[in-house]
Amino acid sequence: EEKNPNGKYIRHDGITDWILKQARNIYGKSVEKEDIFYYVYGFLHSKEYRETYSADLKKMLPRIPLVDKKEDFWAFSKAGRDLADLHLHYETVEPMEGLDVKFTGDMGDEYEYFSVEKLRFPAKDKKDTIIYNNHITISGIPEKAYEYVVNGRSAIEWILDRYQVTVDKDSGIKNDCNNWSKEHKKPRYIFDLLLSIINVSVQTVDIVNSLPKIAFGETAKKECSYPEQDENYGLLKIASDEPGYGMKK
C-alpha cells in the first residue's frame, strides 16, 4: 500500500496506457480504463471463450482479445459492470420474485428460528426446493440458477456446503455457522444470504446469456497468440485469419 505525502492512498490502475490507446483507436476516444476493466470482466464470462479455452484457462493466465465490433466491446463492458456490481454487493441483493418461502411454527427466539444445522435438498434430483430448517422451506428455485458455477460448483450449493454445523472427528471441536449471526446481531443473516445468492445466480445467468456470441471457428483449439517479449501482452489485438479475436495458426 502506497500513500502520498498527505497520507492518502495512491490509486494505481491495472490497465496500462498502452492498451487504453489501442482500445481508443478501435472503439473511440470515449473509452476509459474503467470501461476496459469491466470489458475484461464481462469477456471472462463468455461461454464460447470459457468452453473453447477451458484447458488453457486451468493452467495459465487468461489472454483477452479485443473484439472487432464497437458495439460488442460496449456490450461486454456494460455486462461486466453489471456483473461486478452483483458479485461485489451480493449480500444486499433483494430476493427474486416468484420464490415460495414457507414458515411454520412459532418464531419465539429469532436466532433459534433462523438457525441452521444443515441446508439440504429434499432429494438429489429436486433442487427447486431447499429445506432450510425444520421451520422454513424455500421452493420455486429456477433450474437455471444452478448454471452459475464458481470453482466447479453452483454458487447456491457452495452456500449449502459452507453453512452447516460440523464437528471435527479428531478434536471434537464444533464449528457452528450460526455464531457469526449472533456475534453481529443478524439472526436472519444465513437465510437472507441464501435468498440473495439465488437471485444473484439467476441474474448472472441472464446477463451471461445476453453477451455477444463469439465465433472462434477453425481456430477453436488454438491458443490466443501474444508476443511473449512484449511487456504489454495480456490484452492485445492481433491480425489473424479471423481478425479481432487474437487467434493465429
Side-chain angles (χ1 to χ4, degrees), residues 20-37:
L20 175 63
K21 181 179 179 180
Q22 304 303 310
R24 284 179 171 175
N25 286 338
I26 303 168
Y27 310 123
K29 295 182 179 180
S30 63
V31 176
E32 299 293 342
K33 289 185 176 181
E34 190 172 271
D35 299 319
I36 299 173
F37 174 86

Side-chain angles (χ1 to χ4, degrees), residues 49-96:
Y49 176 72
R50 292 164 67 101
E51 291 172 1
T52 302
Y53 298 99
S54 59
D56 294 325
L57 292 170
K58 292 176 181 177
K59 60 187 179 182
M60 64 179 69
L61 293 174
R63 298 177 176 188
I64 310 297
L66 293 179
V67 294
D68 273 343
K69 297 179 181 178
K70 179 179 180 180
E71 58 266 31
D72 286 349
F73 171 83
W74 287 111
F76 275 115
S77 184
K78 181 183 183 305
R81 193 180 294 270
D82 292 341
L83 287 167
D85 183 62
L86 269 178
H87 300 164
L88 285 172
H89 307 108
Y90 63 92
E91 290 179 308
T92 62
V93 174
E94 293 294 322
M96 65 170 287

Side-chain angles (χ1 to χ4, degrees), residues 151-233:
N151 291 333
R153 179 183 294 182
S154 72
I156 295 173
E157 287 171 298
W158 273 115
I159 298 295
L160 269 64
D161 180 68
R162 303 303 297 177
Y163 287 91
Q164 58 178 292
V165 178
T166 60
V167 178
D168 184 80
K169 293 181 179 179
D170 296 326
S171 66
I173 295 175
K174 183 178 182 181
N175 181 17
D176 191 340
C177 59
N178 300 290
N179 289 339
W180 193 94
S181 299
K182 296 176 181 178
E183 291 170 4
H184 294 267
K185 298 181 180 180
K186 295 181 177 182
R188 293 171 52 105
Y189 176 76
I190 300 174
F191 174 73
D192 289 336
L193 176 64
L194 177 57
L195 295 184
S196 294
I197 293 300
I198 293 171
N199 198 3
V200 167
S201 298
V202 171
Q203 289 191 52
T204 295
V205 171
D206 287 341
I207 293 172
V208 169
N209 287 340
S210 73
L211 290 173
K213 305 302 180 184
I214 302 175
F216 289 102
E218 294 301 319
T219 62
K221 294 185 179 179
K222 305 180 183 78
E223 292 187 37
C224 292
S225 174
Y226 295 84
E228 297 296 338
Q229 302 304 316
D230 188 337
E231 64 179 4
N232 293 304
Y233 95 97

Side-chain angles (χ1 to χ4, degrees), residues 79-116:
R81 193 180 294 270
D82 292 341
L83 287 167
D85 183 62
L86 269 178
H87 300 164
L88 285 172
H89 307 108
Y90 63 92
E91 290 179 308
T92 62
V93 174
E94 293 294 322
M96 65 170 287
E97 296 182 3
L99 288 180
D100 181 15
V101 182
K102 294 183 178 179
F103 300 95
T104 60
D106 297 328
M107 181 169 294
D109 182 87
E110 195 172 11
Y111 288 99
E112 289 297 323
Y113 192 84
F114 286 98
S115 66
V116 300

